[in-house]
Amino acid sequence: MLSGVPTQTFQSGRGPLSPGSRAGLGAALVLLALVSAVELADGRSAHYVALMVAAPFLAAALASWRVVLGVGGLGTVIGAAFALAERTMSLVTAVNVAGIALATAIAAAVAAVRQRQAEQIAELSRLAAVAQQAVLRPLGPQVGTLSVAGRYISSTATAEIGGDLYEAIDTPYGVRMIIGDVRGKGLDAVRLASIVLGSYRHVAYERADLRAVVTDLDRAVARNVGDEDFVTAALVEERGGTLTIVNCGHPPPLLLRRGAVIPLEPPAPAPPLGFMPVVRPRVERLEPGDRLLLFTDGLGEARRDGEFFPTADRAWRLLGHGTVADGLASLETALVEWVHGRLDDDIALVLMEYTGPRSGVTAAVPSWEVGAAES
């Protein structure tokens, strides 16, 4: 997944210091050492003790409250030592030492609140990742006669969660795949994505024709969304080397064949799921070694300085080598470099490769010919 600066979690219990606590402790100790050195060089009067007030607050920015208390306690002891070393302790010096102790208490409270918030964010991120994984099961590496890999690229660093979806299953009607994009983000989008995938995992085994699958999914979406919500989707079936695609307002898949990249546009446009789409299948005959890239519109919208990522121009160089998982890894790396690590939308990717029919297996009738074959 894409990520920016990772959220640092802090250990609330005892044990080894976290990297953040070590950094905060180190910075605070350096400050105490510098102030102490200046005081020693200045003579017996404690002129700079008040600067030690900054040490616990500096530690509080990164370290746990226990580290803050330790730093503040050390600063208070050092300040008191310089105050006692004066010929006559002034009221200002005494107030400065008391200020260090007060600052330590305030900084420790701030660190405790920040630490608790960081732990809550980390827990929410973990729960979001679990929810995402429950919706999107791992794909491949082999589904029927196809090598398949899937990848989800999140546009946010704090939570890998969104409404992009994909699935690939081996059914009595061939290998069937879906890729889709729910309008919106967050838990509502994940809920609708789970509804679509749950319905798909059922009807893909029950319906011989992909158009019937689309009809069932459209009903499931319509029952669970508002008037302005929808789901774009592309459904793909491979059976006996014949590829059938139906598209409901989704970016067309890209067919990679012998160095060429062919967008598989639908014969006629159809609206997304939720708007009663009437789809027309597109049929292609596959050759061994053909690869097919399914993706959501986050890939088409990825850009830098107003220039979109050249998916079609670079698809073969990025996706045509190694395994399908290697190809998706190369695409993600190139994409991250192109956008400098900043995406506006999540991206779901599925890459499949047709390796040829199984030896000794008769080519099956694709779903779009089932009715004709039975008549």
Side-chain angles (χ1 to χ4, degrees):
M1 301 295 175
L2 290 179
S3 60
V5 180
T7 301
Q8 178 66 53
T9 58
F10 299 89
Q11 296 177 354
S12 58
R14 301 179 183 276
L17 293 179
S18 68
S21 291
R22 288 196 296 269
L25 177 61
L29 292 179
V30 168
L31 176 61
L32 292 177
L34 289 175
V35 175
S36 299
V38 171
E39 281 287 5
L40 290 173
D42 186 58
R44 297 181 62 87
S45 298
H47 292 155
Y48 305 101
V49 167
L51 295 177
M52 294 185 181
V53 170
F57 287 108
L58 183 61
L62 295 171
S64 68
W65 63 269
R66 288 188 175 88
V67 172
V68 174
L69 285 179
V71 168
L74 178 61
T76 302
V77 170
I78 295 175
F82 280 115
L84 294 174
E86 287 185 327
R87 294 183 180 88
T88 302
M89 183 187 302
S90 66
L91 178 61
V92 173
T93 302
V95 170
N96 288 339
V97 174
I100 298 174
L102 179 60
T104 299
I106 296 173
V110 171
V113 172
R114 178 196 46 74
Q115 179 178 335
R116 184 162 55 251
Q117 291 175 340
E119 291 171 348
Q120 290 173 347
I121 292 173
E123 179 65 13
L124 289 175
S125 297
R126 187 188 69 81
L127 292 175
V130 170
Q132 190 80 42
Q133 292 167 6
V135 173
L136 297 180
R137 302 183 298 197
L139 296 185
Q142 194 76 22
V143 182
T145 60
L146 304 179
S147 298
V148 180
R151 210 169 186 91
Y152 192 99
I153 306 174
S154 177
S155 61
T156 61
T158 55
E160 300 172 358
I161 192 165
D164 292 18
L165 59 98
Y166 55 74
E167 181 62 288
I169 51 181
D170 193 3
T171 75
Y173 309 106
V175 176
R176 286 180 164 177
M177 294 179 287
I178 184 174
I179 190 162
D181 189 357
V182 176
R183 180 181 180 272
K185 293 183 179 181
L187 292 177
D188 288 340
V190 173
R191 179 187 63 83
L192 184 52
S194 68
I195 291 171
V196 173
L197 285 175
S199 299
Y200 176 76
R201 288 163 182 159
H202 172 71
V203 300
Y205 287 97
E206 302 297 327
R207 303 298 188 189
D209 194 318
L210 284 180
R211 289 168 293 190
V213 175
V214 169
T215 299
D216 288 343
L217 294 180
D218 177 68
R219 291 171 181 162
V221 171
R223 286 193 296 265
N224 292 278
V225 299
D227 294 337
E228 298 182 356
D229 295 325
F230 57 83
V231 180
T232 67
L235 284 73
V236 176
E237 175 189 287
E238 183 280 323
R239 190 171 190 185
T242 298
L243 186 72
T244 306
I245 304 171
V246 294
N247 196 312
C248 304
H250 199 78
L254 298 180
L255 177 63
L256 286 68
R257 174 178 291 168
R258 299 193 301 272
V261 179
I262 308 167
L264 299 183
E265 299 281 355
L273 299 174
F275 293 137
M276 302 178 65
V278 178
V279 295
R280 290 178 54 191
R282 172 162 181 164
V283 180
E284 297 285 336
R285 192 67 187 174
L286 291 175
E287 300 176 4
D290 282 353
R291 291 189 172 186
L292 186 73
L293 175 66
L294 310 174
F295 58 93
T296 54
D297 59 5
L299 179 60
E301 295 172 357
R303 59 187 178 271
R304 67 178 181 194
D305 302 327
E307 185 178 359
F308 291 96
F309 181 74
T311 304
D313 294 339
R314 302 182 64 179
W316 178 259
R317 294 196 302 272
L318 295 171
L319 301 170
H321 69 92
T323 65
V324 288
D326 294 335
L328 288 186
S330 296
L331 176 59
E332 180 177 351
T333 300
L335 183 64
V336 171
E337 181 181 357
W338 180 270
V339 300
H340 304 301
R342 296 186 295 271
L343 285 172
D344 296 328
D345 196 7
D346 296 353
I347 301 173
L349 303 170
V350 176
L351 183 63
M352 61 143 250
E353 179 179 359
Y354 177 64
T355 55
R358 297 170 180 167
S359 59
V361 176
T362 304
V365 179
S367 68
W368 57 277
E369 290 182 352
V370 167
E374 292 175 349
S375 61

